[in-house]
Amino acid sequence: MSRNFSDTSNRKEHVKVTSDNQPGFLERLSETSGGMFVGLVTFLLSFYLIFTNEGRALRTATSLAEGLSLVVSLDSIHSVAPENEGRLVHLIGSLRTSKLLSDPNYGIYIPAVKLKRQVEMYQWVEYEESREYKEDGQVKTERKYSYNTEWKAEVVNSRNFDREIGHKNPSAMAVESFTAVAPFVQIGRFFLSAGLIDKIDNFKPLSLSRLEDPHVDIIRRGDHFYHSENPKYPEVGDIRVSFSYAGLSGDDPNLGPSHVVTVIARQRGDQLVAYSTKSGDSLLLLHHGDFSAEEVFQKEHQSNTMKTWGLRGAGWLAMFVGINLMTRILYTLVDWFPLIRDLVNIGLKAFAFCVATSLTLLTIAVGWLFYRPLWAVFIGLLATVPIVVARSRVQAKKHD
């Protein structure tokens, strides 16, 4: 292996070239065998992902249907009705907290459910671009490293840089990020459980225009506090801090009206907690805004559908990749013959596409078999379509 270095004049970019002998047939075959094992594991995991996703989707849909049939909309949020004890209730109201959230170090005090302090540090960041090419019977890899200074929320470990000299970052931040959460949150007379409070995540940036510099070493510019001698020309290691909040409590002349949410949960005394459904799921729903119970459940059904199709796509992709890796050995065996190799590569990808599509549909059908058997049979028949189409095209080519 040989290496070649060349630096640009500003030392913010350099190129490294490494050379390796072209792998022999046995070496490539060995690498392909390892890929086959990875492919097999990926292939098997795809079945698990697709099958469990169908069960989850059907269970969620059943729970939502049950919830819609049982939910009771409260007449008033300012009194606790004993007759609704243990029932699934629907209520709409403004959020209210017991005390202000604060960060005294920066003079921040706000009536909200959550207050987030976001800290960033000015640091060196390494970027790598690479390309492979063959020259003099060797496989060469050219890697170009470039460096830039940026504000980053996480510490960038410069020890992992290809060239740390001249691009060294501090090992830790002098100020840490954090999120403060109100201990008690209410809608009228009802207290939200921790699970509902977790769902209040509509963070908005907090304007700092009305605040003064909290300390002689801290400078406010726009909506950031800077720990820097000159915020216009920061140096590596400088810190900047911004704030955001979620769930405004009560009307505020500067921030606006109190945040309104819609909640569907089980009434337990004056607590709003999770409701357990017959299918084994739990319902604990919170949406930002004013919605009827029907609208909330419709949104949840839409969310369930999107998640289901997303996981189906991920399962199909995992299966496709797994089949590709398992059949890669055929490509390696004909690697010495470029024309045959390209034809085999196209054929293997078409094969993987058809098989992955059919097996994905078949697995979905099995997942639906005990819940909706007619749909399962229909999907099972669809699973044969890719194979039938592929075979018909092969027969047509033979006749030609």
Side-chain angles (χ1 to χ4, degrees):
M1 178 183 293
S2 65
R3 296 186 177 184
N4 177 40
F5 297 88
S6 65
D7 289 355
T8 58
S9 58
N10 60 10
R11 287 181 42 186
K12 293 185 179 179
E13 183 179 289
H14 68 276
V15 177
K16 177 189 293 184
V17 178
T18 59
S19 303
D20 288 297
N21 293 325
Q22 282 187 281
F25 176 73
L26 293 178
E27 187 178 348
R28 293 200 307 277
L29 199 62
S30 176
E31 292 176 356
T32 305
S33 300
M36 288 178 64
F37 176 74
V38 174
L40 178 61
V41 173
T42 305
F43 180 71
L44 294 177
L45 284 176
S46 69
F47 282 102
Y48 175 80
L49 175 62
I50 296 168
F51 184 77
T52 55
N53 176 51
E54 296 307 312
R56 179 208 57 78
L58 289 167
R59 188 167 57 251
T60 300
T62 303
S63 294
L64 292 173
E66 178 186 342
L68 181 58
S69 68
L70 298 174
V71 67
V72 175
S73 294
L74 298 184
D75 296 326
S76 173
I77 60 173
H78 301 294
S79 61
V80 179
E83 62 268 22
N84 291 326
E85 179 68 21
R87 301 179 72 179
L88 186 67
V89 296
H90 161 255
L91 63 157
I92 304 166
S94 300
L95 295 172
R96 184 161 57 90
T97 58
S98 56
K99 64 177 184 178
L100 296 176
L101 297 180
S102 65
D103 188 343
N105 294 323
Y106 296 92
I108 302 294
Y109 298 88
I110 184 171
V113 175
K114 295 178 182 178
L115 173 65
K116 181 185 292 185
R117 181 171 77 188
Q118 180 71 42
V119 181
E120 298 171 290
M121 183 164 64
Y122 202 62
Q123 304 175 74
W124 284 107
V125 180
E126 180 185 72
Y127 293 95
E128 178 184 340
E129 297 178 13
S130 64
R131 69 181 183 93
E132 282 191 359
Y133 59 96
K134 293 180 181 179
E135 185 177 272
D136 300 329
Q138 292 184 319
V139 177
K140 294 190 176 183
T141 304
E142 179 186 274
R143 294 183 176 88
K144 179 186 290 186
Y145 298 92
S146 58
Y147 300 87
N148 191 33
T149 44
E150 301 175 15
W151 291 104
K152 305 294 288 185
E154 302 292 337
V155 175
V156 178
N157 188 356
S158 57
R159 293 181 181 179
N160 296 329
F161 289 174
D162 185 72
R163 183 164 297 177
E164 186 181 13
I165 298 174
H167 313 111
K168 190 171 184 178
N169 291 325
S171 59
M173 292 192 186
V175 182
E176 294 183 352
S177 299
F178 81 94
T179 300
V181 181
F184 300 103
V185 182
Q186 291 178 258
I187 299 178
R189 285 284 308 278
F190 295 91
F191 288 87
L192 275 61
S193 64
L196 287 171
I197 294 175
D198 286 342
K199 296 177 184 292
I200 301 173
D201 54 3
N202 60 325
F203 283 93
K204 299 179 180 179
L206 178 63
S207 174
L208 307 180
S209 59
R210 300 179 308 278
L211 299 177
E212 301 295 330
D213 296 349
H215 190 271
V216 67
D217 295 328
I218 303 175
I219 302 172
R220 182 185 59 80
R221 288 289 184 274
D223 288 335
H224 288 88
F225 289 115
Y226 288 86
H227 295 248
S228 172
E229 292 186 3
N230 190 344
K232 289 185 178 180
Y233 303 100
E235 298 179 355
V236 171
D238 285 356
I239 296 290
R240 73 177 184 182
V241 180
S242 61
F243 291 87
S244 58
Y245 65 95
L248 187 64
S249 169
D251 297 338
D252 187 277
N254 297 310
L255 300 176
S258 179
H259 189 63
V260 175
V261 296
T262 301
V263 172
I264 292 180
R266 181 167 70 92
Q267 178 180 317
R268 187 180 67 190
D270 60 357
Q271 304 282 323
L272 297 172
V273 299
Y275 181 89
S276 298
T277 63
K278 294 178 181 178
S279 61
D281 264 357
S282 62
L283 294 177
L284 188 66
L285 311 179
L286 182 145
H287 284 258
H288 303 289
D290 183 337
F291 300 102
S292 66
E294 290 77 11
E295 289 173 326
V296 170
F297 281 104
Q298 183 181 5
K299 286 178 176 291
E300 290 295 323
H301 275 295
Q302 291 172 349
S303 176
N304 183 42
T305 300
M306 291 179 62
K307 183 177 181 179
T308 300
W309 279 104
L311 290 174
R312 283 171 180 168
W316 178 88
L317 183 61
M319 189 173 291
F320 177 77
V321 171
I323 295 171
N324 259 320
L325 289 172
M326 287 191 294
T327 56
R328 191 71 179 173
I329 191 170
L330 299 176
Y331 177 85
T332 303
L333 292 173
V334 297
D335 193 30
W336 299 105
F337 310 99
L339 181 60
I340 298 177
R341 178 188 62 198
D342 293 342
L343 291 174
V344 168
N345 188 38
I346 295 172
L348 290 177
K349 281 185 167 49
F351 171 78
F353 179 87
C354 291
V355 173
T357 302
S358 292
L359 290 179
T360 297
L361 290 171
L362 192 61
T363 307
I364 292 172
V366 172
W368 285 46
L369 188 60
F370 297 104
Y371 299 93
R372 298 176 186 174
L374 292 179
W375 272 106
V377 171
F378 176 71
I379 296 171
L381 292 174
L382 280 180
T384 64
V385 172
I387 302 298
V388 171
V389 171
R391 288 195 62 181
S392 64
R393 293 190 65 180
V394 170
Q395 293 296 333
K397 287 183 178 180
K398 284 183 178 180
H399 289 305
D400 291 343

